[in-house]
Coordinates of all heavy atoms in Angstrom, one line a residue:
A209 N 0.9 -1.2 0.0 CA 0.0 0.0 0.0 C 0.9 1.2 0.0 O 2.0 1.2 0.5 CB -0.9 0.0 1.2
M210 N 0.3 2.3 -0.6 CA 1.0 3.6 -0.6 C 0.0 4.7 -0.7 O -1.2 4.4 -1.1 CB 2.0 3.7 -1.8 CG 1.3 3.7 -3.1 SD 2.5 3.7 -4.5 CE 1.4 4.2 -5.9
E211 N 0.4 5.9 -0.2 CA -0.6 7.0 -0.3 C 0.2 8.3 -0.6 O 1.4 8.4 -0.3 CB -1.4 7.1 1.0 CG -0.6 7.3 2.2 CD -1.5 7.2 3.5 OE1 -2.0 6.1 3.7 OE2 -1.6 8.2 4.2
A212 N -0.5 9.2 -1.3 CA 0.2 10.4 -1.6 C 0.5 11.3 -0.4 O -0.3 11.3 0.6 CB -0.7 11.2 -2.6
E213 N 1.5 12.0 -0.5 CA 1.8 13.0 0.6 C 0.8 14.1 0.5 O 0.3 14.5 -0.5 CB 3.3 13.5 0.3 CG 4.3 12.4 0.4 CD 5.7 12.9 -0.1 OE1 5.7 14.0 -0.7 OE2 6.7 12.2 0.1
G214 N 0.5 14.6 1.7 CA -0.5 15.7 1.8 C -1.9 15.2 2.2 O -2.1 14.0 2.6
E215 N -2.8 16.1 2.2 CA -4.1 15.8 2.8 C -5.1 15.0 1.9 O -5.9 14.3 2.3 CB -4.8 17.1 3.2 CG -4.2 17.8 4.4 CD -4.1 17.0 5.6 OE1 -5.1 16.4 6.0 OE2 -3.0 16.9 6.2
R216 N -4.9 15.2 0.6 CA -5.8 14.5 -0.4 C -5.7 13.0 -0.3 O -4.7 12.4 -0.1 CB -5.5 15.0 -1.8 CG -6.3 14.5 -2.9 CD -6.0 15.1 -4.2 NE -6.4 14.3 -5.3 CZ -5.6 14.0 -6.3 NH1 -4.4 14.4 -6.4 NH2 -6.1 13.2 -7.3
F217 N -6.9 12.4 -0.4 CA -7.0 10.9 -0.4 C -6.6 10.4 -1.8 O -7.4 10.4 -2.7 CB -8.4 10.5 0.0 CG -8.5 9.0 0.3 CD1 -8.7 8.5 1.6 CD2 -8.5 8.1 -0.8 CE1 -8.8 7.2 1.8 CE2 -8.6 6.7 -0.5 CZ -8.8 6.3 0.8
V218 N -5.3 9.9 -1.9 CA -4.9 9.2 -3.1 C -4.1 8.0 -2.5 O -3.0 8.1 -2.1 CB -3.9 10.0 -3.9 CG1 -3.6 9.3 -5.2 CG2 -4.6 11.4 -4.3
V219 N -4.8 6.8 -2.5 CA -4.3 5.6 -1.8 C -4.3 4.5 -2.8 O -5.3 4.3 -3.6 CB -5.2 5.3 -0.6 CG1 -4.8 3.9 0.0 CG2 -5.1 6.4 0.4
G220 N -3.2 3.8 -2.9 CA -3.1 2.5 -3.7 C -2.9 1.3 -2.8 O -2.1 1.4 -1.9
V221 N -3.6 0.3 -3.1 CA -3.4 -1.0 -2.4 C -3.1 -2.1 -3.4 O -3.7 -2.1 -4.5 CB -4.6 -1.4 -1.5 CG1 -4.7 -0.4 -0.3 CG2 -5.9 -1.5 -2.3
Q222 N -2.1 -2.9 -3.1 CA -1.7 -4.0 -4.1 C -2.7 -5.2 -4.0 O -2.7 -6.0 -4.9 CB -0.3 -4.5 -3.8 CG 0.3 -5.4 -4.8 CD 0.3 -4.8 -6.2 OE1 1.2 -4.0 -6.5 NE2 -0.6 -5.3 -7.0
W223 N -3.5 -5.2 -3.0 CA -4.5 -6.3 -2.8 C -5.9 -5.9 -3.4 O -6.1 -4.8 -3.9 CB -4.6 -6.7 -1.3 CG -5.2 -5.7 -0.4 CD1 -6.5 -5.5 -0.1 CD2 -4.4 -4.8 0.5 NE1 -6.6 -4.5 0.8 CE2 -5.4 -4.1 1.2 CE3 -3.1 -4.5 0.7 CZ2 -5.0 -3.1 2.2 CZ3 -2.7 -3.6 1.6 CH2 -3.7 -2.9 2.3
H224 N -6.8 -6.8 -3.2 CA -8.2 -6.6 -3.7 C -9.2 -6.6 -2.5 O -9.7 -7.6 -2.1 CB -8.6 -7.8 -4.7 CG -7.9 -7.7 -6.0 ND1 -8.5 -7.1 -7.1 CD2 -6.7 -8.1 -6.4 CE1 -7.7 -7.1 -8.1 NE2 -6.6 -7.7 -7.8
P225 N -9.4 -5.3 -2.0 CA -10.3 -5.2 -0.9 C -11.7 -5.5 -1.2 O -12.5 -5.9 -0.4 CB -10.1 -3.7 -0.5 CG -9.7 -3.1 -1.7 CD -8.8 -4.0 -2.4
E226 N -12.1 -5.4 -2.5 CA -13.5 -5.7 -2.9 C -13.8 -7.2 -2.8 O -14.9 -7.6 -2.7 CB -13.7 -5.2 -4.4 CG -13.2 -6.0 -5.5 CD -11.7 -5.9 -5.7 OE1 -11.0 -5.2 -5.0 OE2 -11.1 -6.6 -6.6
V227 N -12.7 -8.0 -2.9 CA -13.0 -9.5 -2.9 C -13.3 -9.9 -1.5 O -14.2 -10.7 -1.3 CB -11.7 -10.2 -3.4 CG1 -11.8 -11.7 -3.1 CG2 -11.5 -10.0 -4.9
M228 N -12.7 -9.4 -0.5 CA -12.9 -9.7 0.9 C -13.9 -8.7 1.6 O -14.1 -8.8 2.8 CB -11.6 -9.8 1.7 CG -10.7 -10.9 1.2 SD -9.1 -11.0 2.1 CE -9.7 -11.9 3.6
M229 N -14.4 -7.8 0.8 CA -15.3 -6.8 1.3 C -14.8 -6.1 2.6 O -15.4 -6.0 3.6 CB -16.7 -7.4 1.6 CG -17.5 -7.7 0.3 SD -17.9 -6.3 -0.7 CE -19.2 -5.5 0.2
Q230 N -13.5 -5.6 2.4 CA -12.9 -4.9 3.5 C -13.4 -3.4 3.4 O -12.8 -2.5 2.9 CB -11.4 -5.0 3.4 CG -10.9 -6.4 3.7 CD -9.5 -6.7 3.3 OE1 -9.0 -6.1 2.3 NE2 -8.8 -7.5 4.1
Q231 N -14.6 -3.2 4.0 CA -15.3 -2.0 3.8 C -14.7 -0.8 4.5 O -15.1 0.3 4.1 CB -16.8 -2.2 4.3 CG -17.6 -3.0 3.3 CD -17.6 -2.4 1.9 OE1 -17.0 -2.9 1.0 NE2 -18.4 -1.3 1.7
S232 N -13.9 -0.9 5.5 CA -13.3 0.3 6.1 C -12.6 1.1 5.1 O -12.6 2.4 5.1 CB -12.5 -0.1 7.3 OG -11.4 -0.9 6.9
L233 N -11.8 0.5 4.2 CA -11.1 1.2 3.2 C -12.0 2.0 2.2 O -11.8 3.1 1.9 CB -10.2 0.3 2.4 CG -9.3 0.9 1.3 CD1 -8.4 2.0 1.8 CD2 -8.5 -0.2 0.6
F234 N -13.1 1.3 1.8 CA -14.0 1.9 0.9 C -14.8 3.0 1.6 O -15.1 4.1 1.0 CB -15.0 0.9 0.3 CG -14.4 0.0 -0.7 CD1 -14.0 -1.3 -0.4 CD2 -14.1 0.5 -2.0 CE1 -13.4 -2.1 -1.4 CE2 -13.6 -0.3 -3.0 CZ -13.2 -1.6 -2.7
R235 N -15.1 2.8 2.9 CA -15.8 3.9 3.6 C -14.9 5.1 3.8 O -15.4 6.3 3.7 CB -16.3 3.4 5.0 CG -17.5 2.4 5.0 CD -18.1 2.2 6.3 NE -17.1 1.6 7.2 CZ -17.1 0.2 7.4 NH1 -17.9 -0.5 6.7 NH2 -16.2 -0.3 8.3
G236 N -13.6 4.9 4.0 CA -12.7 6.1 4.1 C -12.6 6.8 2.8 O -12.6 8.0 2.8
F237 N -12.6 6.1 1.7 CA -12.6 6.7 0.4 C -13.9 7.5 0.1 O -13.8 8.6 -0.4 CB -12.4 5.6 -0.7 CG -12.6 6.0 -2.1 CD1 -11.7 6.9 -2.7 CD2 -13.5 5.4 -2.9 CE1 -11.9 7.3 -4.0 CE2 -13.7 5.8 -4.2 CZ -12.9 6.8 -4.8
I238 N -15.0 6.9 0.4 CA -16.3 7.5 0.2 C -16.4 8.8 1.1 O -16.9 9.8 0.6 CB -17.5 6.6 0.5 CG1 -17.5 5.5 -0.6 CG2 -18.8 7.3 0.5 CD1 -17.7 5.9 -2.0
E239 N -15.9 8.7 2.3 CA -16.0 9.9 3.2 C -15.1 11.0 2.6 O -15.5 12.2 2.6 CB -15.5 9.6 4.6 CG -16.6 8.8 5.4 CD -17.9 9.5 5.4 OE1 -18.0 10.7 5.7 OE2 -18.9 8.8 5.0
A240 N -14.0 10.7 2.0 CA -13.1 11.7 1.3 C -13.9 12.3 0.1 O -13.7 13.5 -0.2 CB -11.8 11.1 0.9
A241 N -14.6 11.4 -0.6 CA -15.4 11.9 -1.7 C -16.5 12.8 -1.4 O -17.1 13.5 -2.3 CB -15.9 10.7 -2.5
R242 N -17.0 12.8 -0.2 CA -18.1 13.7 0.3 C -17.6 15.1 0.4 O -18.4 16.1 0.4 CB -18.6 13.2 1.6 CG -19.3 11.9 1.6 CD -20.0 11.6 2.9 NE -20.4 10.2 3.1 CZ -21.5 9.7 2.6 NH1 -22.3 10.4 2.0 NH2 -21.7 8.4 2.8
V243 N -16.3 15.3 0.6 CA -15.7 16.7 0.8 C -15.6 17.3 -0.6 O -15.0 16.7 -1.5 CB -14.4 16.6 1.5 CG1 -13.8 18.0 1.6 CG2 -14.5 15.9 2.8
P244 N -16.0 18.5 -0.8 CA -15.9 19.2 -2.1 C -14.4 19.2 -2.5 O -13.5 19.5 -1.7 CB -16.4 20.6 -1.9 CG -17.4 20.5 -0.7 CD -16.8 19.4 0.2

């Protein structure tokens, strides 16, 4: 996993969170998307 420096949510994971439904990662992404 890696993420961009700074406040903006730019996160990469080498695994497949959608396969194991690891929802905390997706919820964090969605919460970031709620911010203009």
Side-chain angles (χ1 to χ4, degrees):
M210 65 183 195
E211 57 191 64
E213 299 169 346
E215 294 301 315
R216 180 174 157 231
F217 189 106
V218 184
V219 174
V221 294
Q222 188 58 75
W223 66 85
H224 285 265
E226 78 283 0
V227 170
M228 299 182 73
M229 287 299 282
Q230 289 166 328
Q231 282 303 105
S232 61
L233 178 59
F234 286 102
R235 286 195 295 269
F237 171 62
I238 293 299
E239 286 307 308
R242 294 186 196 276
V243 179

